[in-house]
Amino acid sequence: MKLLNKVAVITGGGRGIGKAIALEFAREGAHIIVNYKKSRDEAYKVVEEANKLGVSALAVYADVSKYKDVLNMAKTVLNKYDKVDILVNNAGVLINKKLLETSVREWTKVVNVNLNGVFYTIKVFGKIMASNGGGSIINIASVAGYIPLMNGGAYSASKAAVIMLTKQAALELASEGIRVNAICPGPIKTDMLLSEYTERELRIRERYMPLMRIGDPIDVAKLAVFLASDDSKYITGEAYGIDGGFAISTYLLLNKLLKRD
Ligand code: NAP
């Protein structure tokens, strides 16, 4: 087991990519803290599943965009565990609107959750990790952090900032024994993606992906295990794309458009 007896906090761990990461960590022997905001029941189900895998687990409410909530979450975690080894900043929101149609309120919401939330948890859990000799922080950014979405400018900008925050934190926290890396998923089958596309559109998208499929949450979870474990102990400040080739698909799309294939 790659994460035996590690203590891992996963924000937004009740569903989607966060749930897959939480359960894959549990399979690798980690005790997991499943943060949730709205999905309380789902978070408790993840706890039950983790217990069945033989590890301890805790569901904790926090809106990561509120610094006080993050502080309270850390208190709850430290009541049960005397350390934190791994932090996964997975919580995120997407508002699919063109910039000119995005309200200031919507912009602020996306930045508050996707960027400020990551800073708050790094600040709070980074100190805890430093006091127990180090660990690994993994920020779930997006390919949208380097390829602008058609709509959703606030999302793209927030994810680009998360990639730089990752590098900044990696540089500053290296001396504390903390590695910080980002994962940049392309399309992954979760509520976030499925709410944006019809079944038919998804099938078409799959045909235009170099690897001919939309990713599953477990694809991201496997990479998260690598970055959380000692297998990656010489890696910090990196941002890993995991996108079925989406970021390199420009000429594939062009060829399909020109019917050259
Ligand atoms: P999802 O199914 O919509 O799940 C979003 C998660 O974020 C939920 O667990 C939700 O928790 C949590 N969350 C949202 N706002 C929160 C807040 N204020 N405080 C705490 N938790 C909050 O989406 P997903 O696809 O699994 O997304 C996970 C991460 O991957 C996000 O950062 C997303 O940007 C990124 N990503 C996804 C894709 C994709 O194609 N799916 C691609 C690139 C990047 P509650 O339900 O408890 O509120």
Side-chain angles (χ1 to χ4, degrees):
M1 284 189 188
K2 290 183 187 291
L3 303 176
L4 194 61
N5 290 327
K6 299 286 183 192
V7 176
V9 175
I10 302 103
T11 69
R15 60 193 179 89
I17 292 172
K19 174 183 174 180
I21 292 173
L23 289 176
E24 196 58 16
F25 280 9
R27 273 179 219 110
E28 292 292 343
H31 306 289
I32 55 168
I33 292 98
V34 184
N35 157 251
Y36 65 91
K37 184 188 166 205
K38 289 186 192 151
S39 304
R40 184 180 185 280
D41 291 352
E42 288 86 344
Y44 277 92
K45 274 188 200 138
V46 174
V47 165
E48 263 177 46
E49 277 189 59
N51 289 155
K52 282 186 199 151
L53 291 165
V55 297
S56 72
L58 186 65
V60 186
Y61 168 85
D63 176 343
V64 296
S65 69
K66 296 186 176 147
Y67 185 56
K68 259 198 173 165
D69 278 13
V70 174
L71 283 172
N72 286 336
M73 172 161 64
K75 262 189 216 157
T76 310
V77 171
L78 290 180
N79 274 339
K80 179 158 176 156
Y81 300 98
D82 56 4
K83 61 167 188 169
V84 172
D85 304 291
I86 302 160
L87 165 67
V88 182
N89 280 308
N90 162 79
V93 288
L94 166 67
I95 295 179
N96 217 340
K97 280 192 175 177
K98 290 185 193 309
L99 279 176
L100 299 188
E101 287 155 13
T102 302
S103 69
V104 171
R105 198 189 167 92
E106 287 166 337
W107 175 277
T108 307
K109 181 183 171 166
V110 172
V111 172
N112 275 345
V113 177
N114 294 6
L115 176 61
N116 295 351
V118 175
F119 166 60
Y120 299 155
T121 56
I122 288 177
K123 182 171 164 63
V124 171
F125 287 101
K127 279 194 186 141
I128 296 168
M129 290 165 92
S131 72
N132 62 251
S136 173
I137 297 176
I138 300 161
N139 299 325
I140 308 298
S142 170
V143 290
Y146 43 85
I147 300 174
L149 288 182
M150 274 307 288
N151 300 314
Y155 183 82
S156 302
S158 71
K159 293 299 189 180
V162 166
I163 293 170
M164 180 44 78
L165 178 57
T166 299
K167 293 171 194 283
Q168 186 68 36
L171 185 64
E172 293 185 18
L173 300 181
S175 57
E176 307 288 352
I178 300 172
R179 297 184 297 107
V180 190
N181 292 289
I183 294 179
C184 302
I188 305 290
K189 276 182 210 147
T190 66
D191 295 342
M192 186 178 277
L193 186 87
L194 299 175
S195 61
E196 298 295 331
Y197 292 93
T198 62
E199 270 298 321
R200 189 181 153 272
E201 287 172 332
L202 274 182
R203 280 200 304 275
I204 294 171
R205 269 207 81 168
E206 283 193 312
R207 284 213 304 271
Y208 287 82
M209 295 286 291
L211 290 183
M212 303 283 284
R213 71 176 177 96
I214 304 286
D216 294 308
I218 190 70
D219 294 317
V220 181
K222 297 276 185 194
L223 177 54
V225 168
F226 170 70
L227 291 174
S229 77
D230 277 351
D231 285 351
S232 60
K233 66 184 175 191
Y234 196 50
I235 299 176
T236 197
E238 292 296 331
Y240 284 88
I242 175 162
D243 67 357
F246 174 68
I248 52 155
S249 63
T250 309
Y251 280 101
L252 175 80
L253 296 176
L254 199 59
N255 262 18
K256 298 237 180 210
L257 200 65
L258 297 170
K259 299 197 187 314
R260 279 196 181 174
D261 52 341

